[in-house]
Amino acid sequence: MSDSLPRIWIITDPDHPDGPVAPLREALEGCPEGLVGVQLRAPGASGRELTRWGRELRAITERAGCALTINRRADVAKIVSADGVHLPERGLRPSVLRAHWPELGMIGASRHDGDGLCEAERDGAHYAFLSPVFEVPGKGGPIGIEGLRAAIDDVGIPTYALGGITAEALRQLLDAGAHGVAIRRAIYGSAEPRETLRRLLRELDKHLPRVE
């Protein structure tokens, strides 16, 4: 499964002035296939809004050769033909989702410590986000590089570092054992989302030269 997973996940920001779709349309233009995934996350959005955004993002990600997951909503994932669902730590268990929607190829889980990662692995998640690695306003104390390393040391599923991620930190995160990174502010807070993503991809290519 890890061979088919992206190395960079972009989590949407529905509060961006241009909405969650436009910055991604720009960022993914000309993006190498298979390296980037998009998670549609929009707390508080209606099912109608999620479906509309999901369809728009499905069209964009298909053209770019990128994976698409929907946060929480397996029903919306099926409607828009997404690749999977991402579950928050207090949401449905991955095993429940797999039992009822076996056709979903990717099931991700958000976790905040090593015990949570181990639980997600036992419960059948295909991958996990671990956060916050670096400082993020309102998200509690960061675990740092060494905290990341310790948390994923005995975990078998691919784990992504989330929280305050920059291109400059990518090498340390990969060296610590992260499969990749998950980002939001890096894209939605950038005046040039396409160049921001390219900078991350260039760093990724330096440290994973086998990835084309």
Side-chain angles (χ1 to χ4, degrees), residues 6-167:
R7 294 286 183 167
I8 298 171
W9 282 100
I10 303 174
I11 302 170
T12 60
D13 181 359
D15 296 324
H16 189 274
D18 296 326
V21 176
L24 281 177
R25 182 180 290 112
E26 179 181 344
L28 295 177
E29 184 180 353
C31 178
E33 292 188 12
L35 293 183
V36 178
V38 173
Q39 180 199 141
L40 173 54
R41 182 180 184 276
S46 67
R48 181 174 295 180
E49 286 176 311
L50 284 173
T51 300
R52 174 169 59 84
W53 289 333
R55 284 175 170 152
E56 292 175 2
L57 289 172
R58 178 74 289 182
I60 293 168
T61 54
E62 280 188 337
R63 286 196 299 270
C66 298
L68 173 66
T69 63
I70 310 298
N71 194 62
R72 293 180 180 265
R73 299 287 298 270
D75 56 341
V76 174
K78 290 186 68 176
I79 290 169
V80 305
S81 300
D83 299 292
V85 174
H86 190 94
L87 299 172
E89 189 156 19
R90 296 182 181 178
L92 282 175
R93 293 173 56 186
S95 58
V96 173
L97 203 65
R98 294 183 76 172
H100 290 278
W101 289 279
E103 67 274 18
L104 292 172
M106 291 182 180
I107 298 177
S110 291
R111 295 294 185 264
H112 299 91
D113 55 33
D115 289 342
L117 291 175
C118 290
E119 183 273 335
E121 180 179 10
R122 289 193 302 269
D123 209 33
H126 295 118
Y127 66 90
F129 293 172
L130 180 64
S131 68
V133 176
F134 301 121
E135 190 72 36
V136 178
K139 294 296 184 181
I143 63 173
I145 296 290
E146 292 308 313
L148 170 75
R149 189 191 308 275
I152 65 180
D153 188 47
D154 295 322
V155 176
I157 57 173
T159 300
Y160 297 80
L162 169 64
I165 305 301
T166 64

